[in-house]
């Protein structure tokens, strides 16, 4: 009986420890900082999704559901390539962040240049494939009716060059911990992309959506190029001042 009471007491003690361990502890000050940091990223995620689907809204409104289906099918090839690019960018982000934190901006730039070169090479490969074998690719992946849209495929593959480069540059902005800058960049991209779609798509054929996507992607890439150059210079000077103070 004493042994049973001891076991019961020990079980209750362990249960009390588990309850205390699992009980949530709210530290509101760190949570507020985390919310302040993460809230713009939620808006950025929504804008990224909107920008990715923006041409579809204009095509559906002005050209109809048939052209929308054709565009969506062909544009899905961009999604496949962007999945590879995003995986590469995410895998490189911790190293970029470490280089930035340690002030190794020479290594930071070297790795970023390599990533940009990979993005450009993948985009050029896609463009070359679309230019020389676009009809065959569309027939193989879809149906012969899609072969007439090989020019649209070429335009969309041309857009992958600035899109992939911009993805790696955007990753470097996150690695430098300038999260809030993504919001105005994505808003500017949305404004320019909307204007291009409005000017090029209504009353035109489906092929007009290709130049809109390519021009908007190029604009976004240039924004990222300027932003990254400014941030690298800013972080380099800041790190030098910190080293001097120490």
């Amino acid at each position: 009986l004493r042994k049973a009471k001891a076991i019961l007491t020990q079980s209750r003690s362990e249960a009390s420890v588990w309850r205390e361990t699992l009980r949530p502890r709210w530290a509101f000050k760190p949570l507020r900082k985390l919310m302040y940091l993460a809230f713009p990223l939620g808006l950025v995620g929504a804008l990224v999704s909107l920008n990715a689907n923006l041409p579809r809204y204009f095509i559906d409104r002005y050209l109809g559901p048939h052209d929308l289906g054709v565009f969506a099918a062909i544009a899905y090839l961009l999604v496949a390539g962007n999945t590879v690019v995003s995986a590469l960018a995410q895998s490189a982000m911790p190293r970029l962040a470490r280089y930035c934190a340690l002030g190794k901006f020479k290594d930071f730039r070297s790795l970023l240049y390599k990533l940009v070169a990979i993005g450009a090479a993948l985009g050029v490969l896609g463009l070359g494939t679309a230019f020389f074998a676009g009809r065959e690719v569309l027939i193989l992946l879809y149906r012969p009716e899609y072969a007439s849209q090989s020019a649209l495929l070429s335009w969309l593959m041309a857009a992958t060059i600035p899109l992939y480069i911009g993805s790696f540059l955007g990753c470097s902005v996150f690695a430098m911990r300038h999260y809030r800058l993504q919001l105005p960049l994505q808003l500017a991209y949305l404004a320019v992309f909307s204007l291009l779609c409005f000017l090029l798509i209504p009353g035109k054929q489906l092929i007009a959506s290709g130049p809109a996507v390519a021009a908007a992607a190029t604009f976004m890439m240039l924004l990222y190029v300027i932003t990254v150059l400014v941030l690298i210079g800013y972080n380099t000077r800041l790190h030098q001042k910190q080293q001097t103070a120490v």
Side-chain angles (χ1 to χ4, degrees):
L1 183 60
R2 290 180 180 177
K3 187 176 181 179
K5 288 182 178 179
I7 293 174
L8 181 61
T9 302
Q10 183 179 359
S11 300
R12 288 175 177 175
S13 177
E14 291 176 353
S16 176
V17 171
W18 274 104
R19 284 196 301 270
E20 188 65 24
T21 303
L22 297 176
R23 181 180 299 170
R25 294 175 174 83
W26 303 103
F28 290 102
K29 188 175 181 179
L31 285 175
R32 282 197 301 269
K33 292 182 178 179
L34 184 61
M35 290 177 61
Y36 180 78
L37 181 67
F39 181 72
L41 299 181
L43 296 178
V44 169
L47 288 173
V48 169
S49 178
L50 176 60
N51 289 329
N53 293 284
L54 192 61
R56 291 172 170 83
Y57 301 134
F58 283 87
I59 292 171
D60 184 41
R61 173 67 176 83
Y62 293 104
L63 301 181
H66 176 269
D67 286 345
L68 173 62
V70 173
F71 177 87
I74 298 176
Y76 190 76
L77 297 176
L78 275 73
V79 178
N82 196 53
T83 301
V84 176
V85 171
S86 296
L88 291 173
Q90 293 297 324
S91 64
M93 190 183 298
R95 187 180 298 179
L96 287 171
R98 185 169 65 252
Y99 287 154
C100 182
L102 296 176
K104 297 181 177 180
F105 291 102
K106 183 178 179 180
D107 295 331
F108 183 95
R109 288 192 295 269
S110 176
L111 178 56
L112 183 58
Y113 292 156
K114 293 176 182 177
L115 293 173
V116 167
I118 292 173
L122 290 174
V124 170
L125 178 62
L127 176 59
T129 303
F131 185 79
F132 291 105
R135 293 177 60 88
E136 291 75 9
V137 169
L138 290 175
I139 292 173
L140 178 64
L141 294 179
Y142 301 111
R143 293 185 297 180
E145 298 90 281
Y146 286 81
S148 61
Q149 298 297 336
S150 59
L152 174 61
L153 176 62
S154 296
W155 272 110
L156 294 181
M157 289 298 104
T160 60
I161 300 175
L163 277 175
Y164 294 165
I165 294 174
S167 294
F168 287 123
L169 294 174
C171 169
S172 70
V173 175
F174 277 114
M176 288 184 281
R177 298 177 62 85
H178 292 276
Y179 307 119
R180 291 182 169 272
L181 278 178
Q182 295 282 2
L183 185 57
L185 291 176
Q186 290 295 329
L187 286 172
Y189 181 40
L190 174 63
V192 171
F193 202 1
S194 300
L195 179 62
L196 288 169
C197 288
F198 180 76
L199 293 176
L200 296 178
I201 293 178
K204 307 291 194 309
Q205 295 181 350
L206 183 59
I207 182 64
S209 60
V213 175
T218 303
F219 170 78
M220 190 61 184
M221 182 194 69
L222 293 176
L223 276 183
Y224 271 130
V225 168
I226 296 171
T227 302
V228 169
L229 290 176
V230 171
L231 290 180
I232 289 177
Y234 169 78
N235 283 281
T236 301
R237 292 190 298 271
L238 182 62
H239 181 74
Q240 290 174 348
K241 288 181 179 179
Q242 291 174 346
Q243 291 295 105
T244 303
V246 172

